[in-house]
Amino acid sequence: MSAQPGRSVTSKVLALLDAFTPARPALTLSELARRAELPLPTASRRVAELVAWGALERGGDGRYRIGLRLWEVGSLAPRGLGLRELALPTMEDLYEVTHENVQLAVRQDAELVFIERIAGRHAVPVLTRVGGRFALHATGVGLVLLAYAPAETQEQVLAAPLERYTALTITDPGRLRRGLAEIRRTGYAVSDRQVTMDALSVAAPIRGPEGSVVAAISLVVARHRADPVALAPLVQAAGRTISRSLGTSYGSPPSTG
C-alpha cells in the first residue's frame, strides 16, 4: 500500500466511506485501510470516529457497514428530497396502471443516480437500487438525461469508452448521437435489452420551473410483453404531471437543452 503523504483528514474520511460499494457493503478494518490507501493505525482512528458519530456501524462479525446516520444526512439532499416527494404520487399512479417497475433518476455529472423506484411484484427484475449510480448511455432514464444534458456533457460521454452490458447495448458514438436526437424529437426514450436481455424500458423527461430537464421517469417491463408505443404516452403523461408539480408551464415550447 502506498499511503499518500499530505492528505487532509477530510480526504481520509471520504476515502474510507468511498471504499464501500454495492458489491462490498461490509468490510473489515484491514480491507478499509487497504481500499482507502491508509496506514492501519490511521484507518483505525478515523473508523472509530465514524462509528462514534454513526456514519459506520460495526457488526457482530467485526465488519463495518454504512450507518443509519449517514443515510439520514443523505436523505436531506435537496435535489433528491423535494423531487422524490413530489414525484412519488405520480409514480404510484403509474404503477397502479401498469404494475411494472417505475424508476426516477437524476443526472450527476456523467452518470445517473436513482432517487426512487417502485418494484412490481411480478415485474421483470432490475439491476438498479435507490442511491445507485449507472451509466447514462444504456438505460431509458439515462438516455433521456443524456439527450437533454449540456453539450459538453454529451461530448464527454460520447468521447469516452461506452460500456457494453449486452450484445444490444449501443456503443457506437455516431449511432448514440443519432439516438439522442431522436429522443429530443419524440420526447421519450426506449432502451431495448441494452442493460439485460429480458427487459425494455421507456422513459420521459421531467422539467423544472425554467423548462430544463431535471430528472427522468421510466417504466421497466419484460421484453416479451413490452409495447413501447403504448407505454410511451403513459410515461410522458407522468413526466408532465411531475413537471407541473415542480412549477413547469407547458404554455411555451420546452427547451431541448
Side-chain angles (χ1 to χ4, degrees):
M1 178 182 65
S2 56
Q4 303 167 16
R7 294 170 67 183
S8 67
V9 171
T10 301
S11 71
K12 294 172 183 176
V13 169
L14 292 175
L16 287 166
L17 295 175
D18 197 44
F20 295 93
T21 68
R24 302 294 299 275
L27 298 167
T28 66
L29 179 60
S30 297
E31 289 170 336
L32 278 167
R34 183 171 62 256
R35 293 170 69 89
E37 297 185 348
L38 293 174
L40 190 59
T42 301
S44 180
R45 290 194 299 273
R46 301 303 169 220
V47 166
E49 293 170 357
L50 288 168
V51 170
W53 185 76
L56 296 181
E57 297 175 355
R58 188 173 187 269
D61 58 359
R63 295 178 179 272
Y64 295 90
R65 296 166 176 81
I66 295 295
L68 288 177
R69 183 77 180 274
L70 203 59
W71 283 108
E72 292 170 2
V73 173
S75 70
L76 299 176
R79 189 151 64 113
L81 180 62
L83 174 60
R84 176 189 172 277
E85 290 179 341
L86 288 171
L88 198 52
T90 302
M91 294 178 68
E92 291 171 342
D93 289 344
L94 187 57
Y95 170 76
E96 288 301 325
V97 171
T98 64
H99 294 285
E100 302 287 0
N101 299 302
V102 184
Q103 301 188 135
L104 181 69
V106 297
R107 182 177 61 84
Q108 179 68 51
D109 300 324
E111 295 180 304
L112 67 85
V113 179
F114 291 99
I115 61 173
E116 187 55 272
R117 64 181 285 252
I118 300 175
R121 184 177 301 175
H122 303 294
V124 62
V126 295
L127 301 178
T128 58
R129 62 181 181 86
V130 174
R133 293 174 177 264
F134 213 86
L136 290 171
H137 70 280
T139 65
V141 284
L143 288 167
V144 165
L145 293 169
L146 183 57
Y148 293 97
E152 56 269 25
T153 301
Q154 293 186 21
E155 294 306 319
Q156 177 186 350
V157 172
L158 290 165
L162 299 171
E163 183 173 351
R164 184 183 296 277
Y165 298 96
T166 73
L168 297 179
T169 305
I170 297 175
T171 58
D172 175 70
R175 185 182 171 197
L176 180 56
R177 191 186 299 274
R178 292 190 295 273
L180 298 178
E182 180 67 8
I183 292 167
R184 291 189 292 271
R185 186 186 72 80
T186 62
Y188 69 93
V190 176
S191 172
D192 185 1
R193 295 167 290 174
Q194 291 202 59
V195 178
T196 62
M197 289 301 291
D198 59 350
L200 177 147
S201 65
V202 180
I206 295 169
R207 298 179 182 275
E210 297 179 357
S212 60
V213 172
V214 297
I217 184 171
S218 72
L219 280 172
V220 183
V221 304
R223 175 62 176 77
H224 69 272
R225 62 171 182 263
D227 183 354
V229 175
L231 294 175
L234 297 175
V235 181
Q236 288 177 299
R240 288 192 295 269
T241 299
I242 299 169
S243 297
R244 283 191 288 268
S245 297
L246 292 172
T248 301
S249 170
Y250 279 88
S252 57
S255 167
T256 57

